[in-house]
């Protein structure tokens, strides 16, 4: 079963715009991670936010976590065509023994 | 050189055949995972191993088996392949203390 659900499923924006993707989950978590996948390739870890953190930044990425709403958002600022990829949230929940459960992803297209 | 490698990268086989997918890593991580990804979906965990003597079933282990030959090697077998096992298969590794996962490039398996 999928723990994380991303919204929207697909997002198309112009270069320079900001992109926001949301993730909702169902259980209590240790941390939530965001991964990126270029078409048909392996996933690449972007950022991890722990359950006691509310916001985290890494370069053009900003992640927020609201444990009361069981939701997270990933903001990519000043997007570039090279940001075109699928983005997945993954949760490490308290009962999983450090296994990750992935959502179905958001397909982001950044048009030049 | 890639830290996590998978062989083969592409494989076409027939229903009923036995298939082995191999994963090797040079990261020195104890934890290794096998996932499958179906089109438009997130990753689902097949098996995982936290050390050489530890093998655990994931969400969708039926029809699959694994072998952890060494810290660096983790193989996935399909004993009798069936068409609905057509998917993209990923191997991943992680450290115990920090659950960021590092993914291989994937194996695209087609079962006819």
């Amino acid at each position: 079963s999928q723990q994380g659900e991303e919204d929207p499923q697909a997002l198309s924006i112009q270069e320079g715009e900001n992109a926001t993707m949301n993730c909702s989950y169902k259980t209590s978590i240790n941390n939530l991670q965001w991964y990126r996948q270029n078409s048909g390739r392996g996933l690449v870890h972007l950022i991890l936010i722990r359950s006691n953190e509310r916001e985290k930044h890494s370069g053009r990425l900003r992640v927020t976590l609201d444990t009361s709403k069981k939701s997270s958002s990933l903001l990519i600022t000043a997007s570039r065509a090279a940001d075109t990829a699928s983005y997945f949230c993954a949760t490490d929940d308290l009962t999983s023994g450090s296994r990750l459960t992935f959502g179905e992803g958001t397909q982001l297209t950044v048009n030049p | 050189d890639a830290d996590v490698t998978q062989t083969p990268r592409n494989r076409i086989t027939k229903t009923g055949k036995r298939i082995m997918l191999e994963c090797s890593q040079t990261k020195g991580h104890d934890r290794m995972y096998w996932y499958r990804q179906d089109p438009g979906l997130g990753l689902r965990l097949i098996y995982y191993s936290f050390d050489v003597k530890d093998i655990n079933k994931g969400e969708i282990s039926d029809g699959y088996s694994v072998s952890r030959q060494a810290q660096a090697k983790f193989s996935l077998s399909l004993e009798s392949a069936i068409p609905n096992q057509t998917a993209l298969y990923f191997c991943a590794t992680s450290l115990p203390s920090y659950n960021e996962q590092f993914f291989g490039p994937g194996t695209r398996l087609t079962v006819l």
Side-chain angles (χ1 to χ4, degrees):
Chain A
S1 61
Q2 296 292 333
Q3 160 81 311
E5 295 183 2
E6 278 99 336
D7 171 57
Q9 288 186 322
L11 179 62
S12 182
I13 59 173
Q14 297 298 125
E15 234 176 1
E17 294 180 339
N18 295 341
T20 300
M21 290 159 268
N22 302 296
C23 171
S24 60
Y25 58 92
K26 299 174 183 174
T27 63
S28 296
I29 60 173
N30 290 312
N31 63 66
L32 184 145
Q33 303 177 33
W34 285 90
Y35 287 81
R36 165 193 169 126
Q37 182 183 34
N38 288 83
S39 181
R41 305 181 73 171
L43 278 70
V44 176
H45 181 265
L46 294 175
I47 194 164
L48 178 152
I49 186 165
R50 301 191 188 281
S51 61
N52 61 353
E53 297 175 312
R54 292 297 167 258
E55 187 171 313
K56 203 162 184 180
H57 296 255
S58 176
R60 293 185 295 114
L61 305 180
R62 172 179 168 255
V63 170
T64 61
L65 179 64
D66 186 334
T67 54
S68 66
K69 295 181 179 178
K70 291 186 168 59
S71 67
S72 174
S73 67
L74 171 68
L75 168 68
I76 303 174
T77 60
S79 63
R80 305 166 182 168
D83 294 328
T84 294
S86 292
Y87 292 82
F88 295 89
C89 68
T91 52
D92 175 2
D93 71 62
L94 293 177
T95 61
S96 71
S98 296
R99 292 169 292 164
L100 293 181
T101 304
F102 287 82
E104 296 184 355
T106 293
Q107 172 61 51
L108 173 66
T109 302
V110 181
N111 301 298
Chain B
D1 288 341
D3 295 319
V4 183
T5 57
Q6 293 183 234
T7 56
R9 294 294 312 279
N10 289 282
R11 182 72 183 267
I12 299 173
T13 191
K14 295 182 178 180
T15 297
K17 294 291 187 180
R18 185 178 187 271
I19 297 297
M20 179 179 286
L21 309 182
E22 298 186 342
C23 177
S24 294
Q25 52 114 346
T26 58
K27 299 190 76 66
H29 291 172
D30 285 327
R31 297 185 172 188
M32 299 186 74
Y33 310 81
W34 275 105
Y35 294 92
R36 70 175 274 174
Q37 184 179 34
D38 295 280
L41 298 179
L43 276 68
R44 291 183 290 169
L45 183 63
I46 306 172
Y47 270 95
Y48 62 103
S49 169
F50 282 176
D51 65 43
V52 175
K53 297 181 180 179
D54 176 74
I55 301 289
N56 302 281
K57 293 183 178 181
E59 184 185 355
I60 53 164
S61 59
D62 287 349
Y64 301 94
S65 62
V66 291
S67 172
R68 185 81 185 266
Q69 299 95 325
Q71 186 204 39
K73 295 185 183 295
F74 193 34
S75 300
L76 176 72
S77 293
L78 287 68
E79 297 301 326
S80 180
I82 56 176
N84 77 0
Q85 291 177 314
T86 292
L88 194 52
Y89 289 85
F90 289 103
C91 174
T93 72
S94 74
L95 287 168
S97 58
Y98 190 72
N99 202 21
E100 170 189 350
Q101 293 191 7
F102 297 84
F103 284 80
T107 294
R108 187 171 298 279
L109 177 66
T110 302
V111 183
L112 301 176

